[in-house]
Amino acid sequence: MTARIGVVTFPGSLDDRDALRAVRLAGAEPVSLWHRDKDLRQVDAVVLPGGFSYGDYLRAGAISRFAPVMDTVVEQARSGMPVLGICNGFQVLTETHLLPGAMLRNNHLHFICRDQKLRVENAGTAWTADYAAGQDIHIPLKNIDGRYTADERTLDELEATGRVVFRYLDGNPNGSLRDIAGIANEAGNVVGLMPHPEHAVEPLVGTGRTDGLGFFTSILKRLVHA
């Protein structure tokens, strides 16, 4: 049976179709999910895509946290279903407390859009198994509220338990504490990151590399062999 991976569309989502395409290229069945629906349509995993959900009013991801679909996503994630939050999706994951910390305005107060070098710190999550710990990858980055922050106790816990999944290399683009670009929950089924792997799945677009495809092949293998 083909794995089904859902991608949620909120009002203001920009990268939902890119994420659906990445799922298809990896060999899974992409399933469009609507923010008003609690039914996840029997998907095996969920992607929360990038964009400006609800216009980023109040603060990025804060209103999406109350979307009907998120009640089911949170419940299923806590039961082990894999969830990937990309950029705005990462912001939503922190707002739902599926991941700790918060996202603040970039320290230079400007929107940033560039190819970003990352180091894979944890290749043991549901979304990173096709990478190697210590591997350098290039993934497009575009955000204005991308500065990851948390209290020192939380940061120390993330470091000690291997839950920092990605770290920025060759310069910190937004002032994220400890150069953190992505983190995971304790079980490793929920991962959030600011860069956009769905924009690095074909050689003709994005970075001109396919470094982001590993996110989607990783989860496919996890689901197939589960």
Side-chain angles (χ1 to χ4, degrees), residues 8 12 40 81 99 145 153 163 213:
V8 178
L40 297 185
M81 184 181 71
L99 292 177
D145 295 300
R153 180 177 179 179
R163 291 167 57 193
L213 191 60

Side-chain angles (χ1 to χ4, degrees), residues 9-163:
T9 297
F10 301 98
S13 293
L14 299 179
D15 302 303
D16 46 340
R17 292 189 179 185
D18 301 75
L20 289 164
R21 180 174 178 78
V23 168
R24 185 180 300 109
L25 287 172
E29 179 184 351
V31 179
S32 295
L33 302 175
W34 186 236
H35 69 112
R36 289 183 178 176
D37 299 331
K38 288 192 173 184
D39 183 8
L40 297 185
R41 301 176 56 191
Q42 297 182 314
V43 298
D44 302 297
V46 167
V47 177
L48 303 179
F52 302 92
S53 61
Y54 298 95
D56 278 351
Y57 293 119
L58 185 59
R59 63 180 178 271
I63 300 177
S64 298
R65 182 261 177 272
F66 297 101
V69 72
M70 289 308 300
D71 291 338
T72 312
V73 169
V74 169
E75 178 184 358
Q76 293 298 311
R78 288 175 175 163
S79 297
M81 184 181 71
V83 177
L84 176 67
I86 302 169
C87 196
N88 189 233
F90 186 11
Q91 296 160 344
V92 175
L93 289 176
T94 62
E95 291 289 340
T96 59
H97 304 297
L98 284 174
L99 292 177
M103 311 305 300
L104 302 178
R105 185 61 51 97
N106 295 346
N107 60 347
H108 45 71
L109 304 181
H110 294 288
F111 184 87
I112 187 170
C113 182
R114 74 183 199 190
D115 292 342
Q116 179 64 48
K117 188 176 181 181
L118 305 176
R119 181 170 62 239
V120 179
E121 300 283 11
N122 183 346
T125 79
W127 298 92
T128 58
D130 268 358
Y131 298 103
Q135 180 179 351
D136 294 350
I137 60 176
H138 292 78
I139 303 290
L141 176 75
K142 52 177 187 176
N143 63 71
I144 193 168
D145 295 300
R147 178 160 54 111
Y148 181 74
T149 188
D151 61 80
E152 286 298 312
R153 180 177 179 179
T154 298
L155 293 170
D156 289 343
E157 181 179 353
L158 290 172
E159 300 273 15
T161 56
R163 291 167 57 193

